[in-house]
């Protein structure tokens, strides 16, 4: 899921000796150390989600992918492009290599299909972060740009995490869950947990220390803002469930909780506010992250 510590996890893997191929996206004010994302892969997957009318930060991004989406013409184009990239890279790489892009959470069945075609071993690592922190981070970064609100952010968190678990278990793939928050509480223990999920990775003591040096308190920028948010209890429970060891076999449906969807869809009308002025605070909270209306000339 976006804003879930995937960049920190990728940076750690790189320092531990995992190759991250391709030109990677440079850092900015939201990820100063970089995104560690193969820019060509990101561009292909972003275009595909748009073609499927599921651009990830939009309202449609919280919906399930269209029925039979793997047969969509846009998927054939994206699959051919990804297949070419993977074919070249698999012939070049000698050790462990990784691809990081939160969009893979929604498009995992395509990656499973490509890995089978190319006979590539596939290992999944899911970075999981407190839904309140993810929501706060999405509001800060994407609220002014795309009208991200707390309801949509929570729906995205729910769907992105559960679809990975569902599709990964359906394909009998190994899935390692990495808790973002634990890096800042028990970094050494968390590092051992990561390495246990990748038994073929044998970093040197210097590589281990280099990875630990990457973990800094400022990476947890949304912690204080998250404490002010009201998060649905279903998400709190799912967060705890995702951190269980071993992972449970039974899970809720990947469709976000109905109460959350109803709350997002209902909105507040002018009549609601006229009849009950006390709901102004609710209306302002709902809309405070939307872009201000532009004056049309």
């Amino acid at each position: 899921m976006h804003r879930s510590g995937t960049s920190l996890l990728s940076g750690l893997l790189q320092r531990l000796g995992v190759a991250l191929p391709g030109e990677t996206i440079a850092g900015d004010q939201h990820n100063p150390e970089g995104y560690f994302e193969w820019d060509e892969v990101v561009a292909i997957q972003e275009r595909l989600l748009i073609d499927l009318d599921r651009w990830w930060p939009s309202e449609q991004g919280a919906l399930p992918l269209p029925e039979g989406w793997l047969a969509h013409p846009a998927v054939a184009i994206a699959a051919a492009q990804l297949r070419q990239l993977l074919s070249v890279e698999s012939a070049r790489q000698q050790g462990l290599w990784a691809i990081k892009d939160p969009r893979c959470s929604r498009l995992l069945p395509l990656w499973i299909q490509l890995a089978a075609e190319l006979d590539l071993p596939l290992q999944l690592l899911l970075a999981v972060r407190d839904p309140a922190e993810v929501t706060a981070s999405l509001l800060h970064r994407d609220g002014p740009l795309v009208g991200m609100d707390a309801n949509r952010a929570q729906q995205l968190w729910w769907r992105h995490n559960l679809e990975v678990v569902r599709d990964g278990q359906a394909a009998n793939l190994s899935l390692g869950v990495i808790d973002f928050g634990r890096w800042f509480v028990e970094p050494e223990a968390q590092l051992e947990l990561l390495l246990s999920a990748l038994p073929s990775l044998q970093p040197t003591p210097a590589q281990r220390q280099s990875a630990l040096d990457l973990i800094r308190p400022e990476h947890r920028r949304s912690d204080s803002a998250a404490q002010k948010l009201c998060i649905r209890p279903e998400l709190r429970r799912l967060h705890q469930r995702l951190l269980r060891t071993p992972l449970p076999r039974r899970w809720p449906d990947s469709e976000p909780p109905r109460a959350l969807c109803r709350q997002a869809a209902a909105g507040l009308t002018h009549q609601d506010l006229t009849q009950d002025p006390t709901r102004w605070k609710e209306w302002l909270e709902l809309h405070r992250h939307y872009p201000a209306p532009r004056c049309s000339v």
Side-chain angles (χ1 to χ4, degrees), residues 118-157:
L118 299 172
D119 195 26
L120 294 175
L122 190 58
Q123 162 78 58
L124 303 179
L125 289 178
L126 176 63
V128 172
R129 187 178 184 183
D130 185 311
E133 292 185 35
V134 172
T135 298
S137 185
L138 285 173
L139 293 178
H140 173 71
R141 189 188 70 172
D142 300 309
L145 296 175
V146 297
M148 181 68 67
D149 60 61
N151 282 319
R152 190 191 310 171
Q154 291 178 69
Q155 291 182 64
L156 291 169
W157 185 93

Side-chain angles (χ1 to χ4, degrees), residues 53-74:
D53 194 26
R54 294 297 184 272
W55 185 43
W56 79 264
S58 68
E59 292 184 18
Q60 291 78 12
L63 299 175
L65 291 178
E67 186 73 24
W69 66 272
L70 280 170
H72 192 285

Side-chain angles (χ1 to χ4, degrees), residues 56-131:
W56 79 264
S58 68
E59 292 184 18
Q60 291 78 12
L63 299 175
L65 291 178
E67 186 73 24
W69 66 272
L70 280 170
H72 192 285
V75 175
I77 296 173
Q81 295 170 328
L82 292 172
R83 189 181 297 109
Q84 175 63 23
L85 292 176
L86 294 175
S87 297
V88 172
E89 201 59 40
S90 62
R92 190 176 72 85
Q93 293 291 346
Q94 300 298 316
L96 280 179
W97 55 290
I99 294 175
K100 174 257 180 176
D101 181 7
R103 297 160 187 81
C104 294
S105 299
R106 302 296 322 267
L107 300 170
L108 183 55
L110 174 59
W111 286 92
I112 294 172
Q113 178 178 294
L114 290 170
E117 292 175 10
L118 299 172
D119 195 26
L120 294 175
L122 190 58
Q123 162 78 58
L124 303 179
L125 289 178
L126 176 63
V128 172
R129 187 178 184 183
D130 185 311

Side-chain angles (χ1 to χ4, degrees), residues 218-278:
E218 58 265 28
H219 285 138
R220 204 171 188 180
R221 288 179 287 270
S222 299
D223 189 29
S224 58
Q227 298 175 15
K228 304 175 184 177
L229 291 173
C230 180
I231 301 297
R232 292 290 308 178
E234 296 93 332
L235 274 75
R236 296 289 190 192
R237 291 193 292 269
L238 177 57
H239 181 224
Q240 293 303 313
R241 191 174 180 83
L242 285 164
L243 300 183
R244 289 185 189 174
T245 304
L247 274 177
R249 294 298 302 177
R250 300 184 65 180
W251 294 89
D253 192 271
S254 57
E255 192 68 22
R258 290 183 179 180
L260 186 63
C261 296
R262 283 199 301 268
Q263 184 178 354
L268 288 172
T269 66
H270 181 268
Q271 184 178 7
D272 292 331
L273 298 172
T274 301
Q275 294 178 350
D276 186 3
T278 62

